[in-house]
Amino acid sequence: FATSEGQRARAFFYPPRNTGYQLAAGEKPPLVIFLHGGPTSAAYPVFDPRIQFWTQRGFAVADLNYRGSTGFGRAYRQVLAGRWGELEVADVLALVDELVARELVNARQLCVRGASAGGYTSLLALAASDRFAAAASWYGVSDPLALDKVTHKFEGDYLGWLLGALTVANRASVRQRSPLALAGRMVTPVIFFQGGQDVVVVPEQTRSMVQQLRRQGVAVACHEFPEQGHGFRSAERLAFALEAELEFYRQQFVRRGERSGKHC
């Protein structure tokens, strides 16, 4: 699909599928946009039980390979250099435009979710647009400058490649791509999931983001699992988090329906 600067981005689209239920005539499903971590990782066209979790429950899923993703050539990957927090956010918004224009999803029930770097992009998408009904950040970056101070040595230079040289002169630009600094622009409800043992995105990042949004009156839910790290390993925790995310989205759909005087 077409995105900013005359370029194109890529995504896999999965419509809802459950043999026991069908959409009514003219009904459009809610959408969940998946944002992979990395950010120079990728979404692959293979079986993913997380996607099936959503499609069986009536959601469409768009698994986005935003610019910077691996697997589409060196130029596609390298274009993200110094522009993390800009290009992939534009791709999220362009994807929404594409799916709504094709009448594949319900424009009032758009959700965006991601883990780690994907959580970072999810939050920035909320600062860039109020079109989303809800969002989820799984141990997502909310302050890239704070991340630079505590990240492990293996990713030290990688962060500079993504954001640009972390010089004094460039830090002002980086702050403009910080969800924490842009929290004042956000109105979309968000659910957060955080591991208490996370040494990549430390718990304080998520706690600060939650506090800032709550000060502004944004609806927020937060689940911190003390024994989990960066990437949850417990099947029980993962199952709980997915169900909590689903319920959070449903609650926001109902509230939007009540405000508009319509059933969701």
Side-chain angles (χ1 to χ4, degrees):
F1 60 95
T3 188
S4 65
E5 302 181 11
Q7 298 176 356
R8 300 186 70 79
R10 298 159 170 86
F12 298 107
F13 179 75
Y14 302 90
R17 188 173 298 274
N18 186 315
T19 56
Y21 300 91
Q22 298 292 329
L23 291 171
E27 185 180 6
K28 307 301 178 189
L31 170 70
V32 177
I33 298 177
F34 273 45
L35 300 176
H36 63 72
T40 53
S41 181
Y44 298 98
V46 297
F47 173 73
D48 186 335
R50 299 171 307 160
I51 291 175
Q52 189 177 47
F53 173 88
W54 292 100
T55 58
Q56 285 188 338
R57 288 158 178 79
F59 286 73
V61 172
D63 206 1
L64 176 60
N65 274 312
Y66 46 77
R67 285 171 289 180
S69 301
T70 295
F72 303 96
R74 181 177 178 83
Y76 194 79
R77 184 178 184 275
Q78 293 290 103
V79 73
L80 194 63
R83 303 192 66 185
W84 187 37
E86 298 177 17
L87 293 187
E88 85 282 11
V89 175
D91 293 347
V92 172
L93 302 183
L95 175 59
V96 167
D97 289 340
E98 179 76 11
L99 295 176
V100 170
R102 293 192 185 194
E103 298 185 343
L104 294 173
V105 298
N106 185 336
R108 287 184 50 79
Q109 296 181 335
L110 307 172
C111 304
V112 59
R113 71 189 305 273
S116 190
Y120 170 72
T121 301
S122 296
L123 294 172
L124 286 178
L126 306 187
S129 173
D130 63 357
R131 299 179 65 182
F132 297 98
S137 172
W138 291 55
Y139 40 90
V141 177
S142 59
D143 186 347
L145 290 177
L147 180 68
D148 179 55
K149 294 178 182 178
V150 301
T151 192
H152 45 85
K153 185 177 179 181
F154 179 71
E155 287 194 350
D157 292 337
Y158 180 51
L159 194 60
W161 182 87
L162 290 167
L163 294 169
L166 297 176
T167 61
V168 173
N170 191 43
R171 286 177 179 267
S173 172
V174 173
R175 287 191 187 94
Q176 294 306 308
R177 290 175 279 165
S178 168
L180 189 61
L182 299 175
R185 302 182 186 179
M186 300 181 192
V187 296
T188 302
V190 189
I191 186 167
F192 293 85
F193 301 96
Q194 176 67 44
Q197 301 298 318
D198 197 331
V199 296
V200 180
V201 177
V202 297
E204 187 54 39
Q205 279 215 33
T206 294
R207 293 169 190 161
S208 296
M209 191 71 202
V210 168
Q211 291 171 2
Q212 185 67 20
L213 291 176
R214 283 177 173 162
R215 286 193 199 103
Q216 296 167 197
V218 177
V220 174
C222 183
H223 299 276
E224 185 172 324
F225 306 129
E227 81 290 355
Q228 297 296 300
H230 193 69
F232 302 157
R233 299 292 180 261
S234 164
E236 181 181 358
R237 293 300 200 188
L238 287 166
F240 172 86
L242 280 172
E243 292 289 353
E245 184 180 346
L246 172 63
E247 181 58 27
F248 185 79
Y249 292 168
R250 285 173 171 166
Q251 290 173 2
Q252 308 319 314
F253 294 164
V254 169
R255 289 172 182 168
R256 289 170 71 90
E258 289 173 348
R259 284 200 299 269
S260 66
K262 300 177 181 178
H263 296 292
C264 75

